[in-house]
PDB file of all heavy atoms in Angstrom:
ATOM      1  N   ALA E  34       4.361   6.499  18.221  1.00 95.00           N
ATOM      2  CA  ALA E  34       4.320   5.098  17.814  1.00 95.00           C
ATOM      3  C   ALA E  34       3.679   4.254  18.900  1.00 95.00           C
ATOM      4  O   ALA E  34       3.980   4.425  20.091  1.00 95.00           O
ATOM      5  CB  ALA E  34       5.720   4.588  17.509  1.00 95.00           C
ATOM      6  N   PHE E  35       2.805   3.347  18.476  1.00 94.00           N
ATOM      7  CA  PHE E  35       2.128   2.428  19.393  1.00 94.00           C
ATOM      8  C   PHE E  35       2.260   1.012  18.851  1.00 94.00           C
ATOM      9  O   PHE E  35       2.488   0.803  17.670  1.00 94.00           O
ATOM     10  CB  PHE E  35       0.647   2.795  19.522  1.00 94.00           C
ATOM     11  CG  PHE E  35       0.399   4.183  20.026  1.00 94.00           C
ATOM     12  CD1 PHE E  35       0.236   5.237  19.147  1.00 94.00           C
ATOM     13  CD2 PHE E  35       0.326   4.438  21.388  1.00 94.00           C
ATOM     14  CE1 PHE E  35       0.014   6.518  19.600  1.00 94.00           C
ATOM     15  CE2 PHE E  35       0.099   5.719  21.856  1.00 94.00           C
ATOM     16  CZ  PHE E  35      -0.059   6.764  20.956  1.00 94.00           C
ATOM     17  N   GLY E  36       2.065   0.060  19.751  1.00 92.00           N
ATOM     18  CA  GLY E  36       2.105  -1.337  19.337  1.00 92.00           C
ATOM     19  C   GLY E  36       3.504  -1.904  19.505  1.00 92.00           C
ATOM     20  O   GLY E  36       4.139  -1.710  20.539  1.00 92.00           O
ATOM     21  N   TYR E  37       3.996  -2.583  18.489  1.00 91.00           N
ATOM     22  CA  TYR E  37       5.326  -3.184  18.536  1.00 91.00           C
ATOM     23  C   TYR E  37       6.374  -2.104  18.280  1.00 91.00           C
ATOM     24  O   TYR E  37       7.030  -2.067  17.240  1.00 91.00           O
ATOM     25  CB  TYR E  37       5.448  -4.309  17.528  1.00 91.00           C
ATOM     26  CG  TYR E  37       4.544  -5.497  17.801  1.00 91.00           C
ATOM     27  CD1 TYR E  37       4.221  -6.383  16.783  1.00 91.00           C
ATOM     28  CD2 TYR E  37       4.024  -5.736  19.059  1.00 91.00           C
ATOM     29  CE1 TYR E  37       3.404  -7.473  17.015  1.00 91.00           C
ATOM     30  CE2 TYR E  37       3.205  -6.817  19.304  1.00 91.00           C
ATOM     31  CZ  TYR E  37       2.895  -7.680  18.285  1.00 91.00           C
ATOM     32  OH  TYR E  37       2.081  -8.757  18.517  1.00 91.00           O
ATOM     33  N   THR E  38       6.542  -1.238  19.249  1.00 88.00           N
ATOM     34  CA  THR E  38       7.384  -0.058  19.067  1.00 88.00           C
ATOM     35  C   THR E  38       8.855  -0.403  18.835  1.00 88.00           C
ATOM     36  O   THR E  38       9.596   0.426  18.292  1.00 88.00           O
ATOM     37  CB  THR E  38       7.269   0.878  20.272  1.00 88.00           C
ATOM     38  OG1 THR E  38       7.519   0.126  21.465  1.00 88.00           O
ATOM     39  CG2 THR E  38       5.878   1.496  20.358  1.00 88.00           C
ATOM     40  N   TYR E  39       9.276  -1.601  19.212  1.00 88.00           N
ATOM     41  CA  TYR E  39      10.671  -1.976  18.970  1.00 88.00           C
ATOM     42  C   TYR E  39      10.964  -2.045  17.466  1.00 88.00           C
ATOM     43  O   TYR E  39      12.127  -2.039  17.057  1.00 88.00           O
ATOM     44  CB  TYR E  39      11.000  -3.322  19.633  1.00 88.00           C
ATOM     45  CG  TYR E  39      10.336  -4.525  18.988  1.00 88.00           C
ATOM     46  CD1 TYR E  39      10.977  -5.224  17.974  1.00 88.00           C
ATOM     47  CD2 TYR E  39       9.080  -4.941  19.392  1.00 88.00           C
ATOM     48  CE1 TYR E  39      10.379  -6.315  17.382  1.00 88.00           C
ATOM     49  CE2 TYR E  39       8.471  -6.034  18.811  1.00 88.00           C
ATOM     50  CZ  TYR E  39       9.124  -6.716  17.804  1.00 88.00           C
ATOM     51  OH  TYR E  39       8.526  -7.800  17.217  1.00 88.00           O
ATOM     52  N   LYS E  40       9.901  -2.086  16.662  1.00 89.00           N
ATOM     53  CA  LYS E  40      10.090  -2.104  15.209  1.00 89.00           C
ATOM     54  C   LYS E  40      10.221  -0.707  14.618  1.00 89.00           C
ATOM     55  O   LYS E  40      10.442  -0.540  13.428  1.00 89.00           O
ATOM     56  CB  LYS E  40       8.931  -2.828  14.525  1.00 89.00           C
ATOM     57  CG  LYS E  40       8.875  -4.308  14.859  1.00 89.00           C
ATOM     58  CD  LYS E  40       7.815  -5.008  14.037  1.00 89.00           C
ATOM     59  CE  LYS E  40       7.835  -6.508  14.287  1.00 89.00           C
ATOM     60  NZ  LYS E  40       6.869  -7.223  13.431  1.00 89.00           N
ATOM     61  N   SER E  41      10.097   0.316  15.444  1.00 89.00           N
ATOM     62  CA  SER E  41      10.187   1.693  14.945  1.00 89.00           C
ATOM     63  C   SER E  41      11.569   2.264  15.235  1.00 89.00           C
ATOM     64  O   SER E  41      11.689   3.323  15.842  1.00 89.00           O
ATOM     65  CB  SER E  41       9.098   2.554  15.573  1.00 89.00           C
ATOM     66  OG  SER E  41       9.223   2.578  16.984  1.00 89.00           O
ATOM     67  N   VAL E  42      12.601   1.562  14.780  1.00 92.00           N
ATOM     68  CA  VAL E  42      13.974   1.988  15.042  1.00 92.00           C
ATOM     69  C   VAL E  42      14.336   3.220  14.217  1.00 92.00           C
ATOM     70  O   VAL E  42      14.998   4.129  14.691  1.00 92.00           O
ATOM     71  CB  VAL E  42      14.956   0.843  14.737  1.00 92.00           C
ATOM     72  CG1 VAL E  42      16.400   1.300  14.876  1.00 92.00           C
ATOM     73  CG2 VAL E  42      14.670  -0.348  15.655  1.00 92.00           C
ATOM     74  N   CYS E  43      13.917   3.239  12.990  1.00 95.00           N
ATOM     75  CA  CYS E  43      14.164   4.367  12.093  1.00 95.00           C
ATOM     76  C   CYS E  43      12.823   5.021  11.818  1.00 95.00           C
ATOM     77  O   CYS E  43      11.893   4.357  11.352  1.00 95.00           O
ATOM     78  CB  CYS E  43      14.778   3.902  10.778  1.00 95.00           C
ATOM     79  SG  CYS E  43      16.188   2.797  10.993  1.00 95.00           S
ATOM     80  N   MET E  44      12.737   6.295  12.117  1.00 96.00           N
ATOM     81  CA  MET E  44      11.476   7.002  11.916  1.00 96.00           C
ATOM     82  C   MET E  44      11.717   8.222  11.054  1.00 96.00           C
ATOM     83  O   MET E  44      12.639   9.010  11.325  1.00 96.00           O
ATOM     84  CB  MET E  44      10.852   7.381  13.251  1.00 96.00           C
ATOM     85  CG  MET E  44      10.418   6.155  14.053  1.00 96.00           C
ATOM     86  SD  MET E  44       9.534   6.563  15.567  1.00 96.00           S
ATOM     87  CE  MET E  44       7.992   7.192  14.913  1.00 96.00           C
ATOM     88  N   GLY E  45      10.895   8.356  10.047  1.00 96.00           N
ATOM     89  CA  GLY E  45      11.088   9.445   9.102  1.00 96.00           C
ATOM     90  C   GLY E  45       9.823  10.237   8.864  1.00 96.00           C
ATOM     91  O   GLY E  45       8.722   9.821   9.237  1.00 96.00           O
ATOM     92  N   TRP E  46      10.020  11.398   8.286  1.00 98.00           N
ATOM     93  CA  TRP E  46       8.920  12.245   7.840  1.00 98.00           C
ATOM     94  C   TRP E  46       9.001  12.391   6.329  1.00 98.00           C
ATOM     95  O   TRP E  46      10.085  12.655   5.788  1.00 98.00           O
ATOM     96  CB  TRP E  46       8.981  13.618   8.490  1.00 98.00           C
ATOM     97  CG  TRP E  46       8.566  13.640   9.916  1.00 98.00           C
ATOM     98  CD1 TRP E  46       9.373  13.593  11.024  1.00 98.00           C
ATOM     99  CD2 TRP E  46       7.219  13.719  10.412  1.00 98.00           C
ATOM    100  NE1 TRP E  46       8.613  13.642  12.155  1.00 98.00           N
ATOM    101  CE2 TRP E  46       7.286  13.717  11.816  1.00 98.00           C
ATOM    102  CE3 TRP E  46       5.967  13.791   9.813  1.00 98.00           C
ATOM    103  CZ2 TRP E  46       6.165  13.783  12.626  1.00 98.00           C
ATOM    104  CZ3 TRP E  46       4.846  13.860  10.612  1.00 98.00           C
ATOM    105  CH2 TRP E  46       4.948  13.856  12.008  1.00 98.00           C
ATOM    106  N   PHE E  47       7.862  12.239   5.698  1.00 98.00           N
ATOM    107  CA  PHE E  47       7.737  12.423   4.259  1.00 98.00           C
ATOM    108  C   PHE E  47       6.643  13.447   4.005  1.00 98.00           C
ATOM    109  O   PHE E  47       5.800  13.700   4.863  1.00 98.00           O
ATOM    110  CB  PHE E  47       7.366  11.096   3.578  1.00 98.00           C
ATOM    111  CG  PHE E  47       8.492  10.111   3.528  1.00 98.00           C
ATOM    112  CD1 PHE E  47       8.873   9.414   4.665  1.00 98.00           C
ATOM    113  CD2 PHE E  47       9.180   9.879   2.353  1.00 98.00           C
ATOM    114  CE1 PHE E  47       9.925   8.512   4.632  1.00 98.00           C
ATOM    115  CE2 PHE E  47      10.223   8.969   2.295  1.00 98.00           C
ATOM    116  CZ  PHE E  47      10.591   8.293   3.438  1.00 98.00           C
TER     117      PHE E  47
END
Side-chain angles (χ1 to χ4, degrees):
F35 301 92
Y37 295 159
T38 52
Y39 70 91
K40 294 187 175 184
S41 60
V42 175
C43 311
M44 294 186 70
W46 285 97
F47 287 75

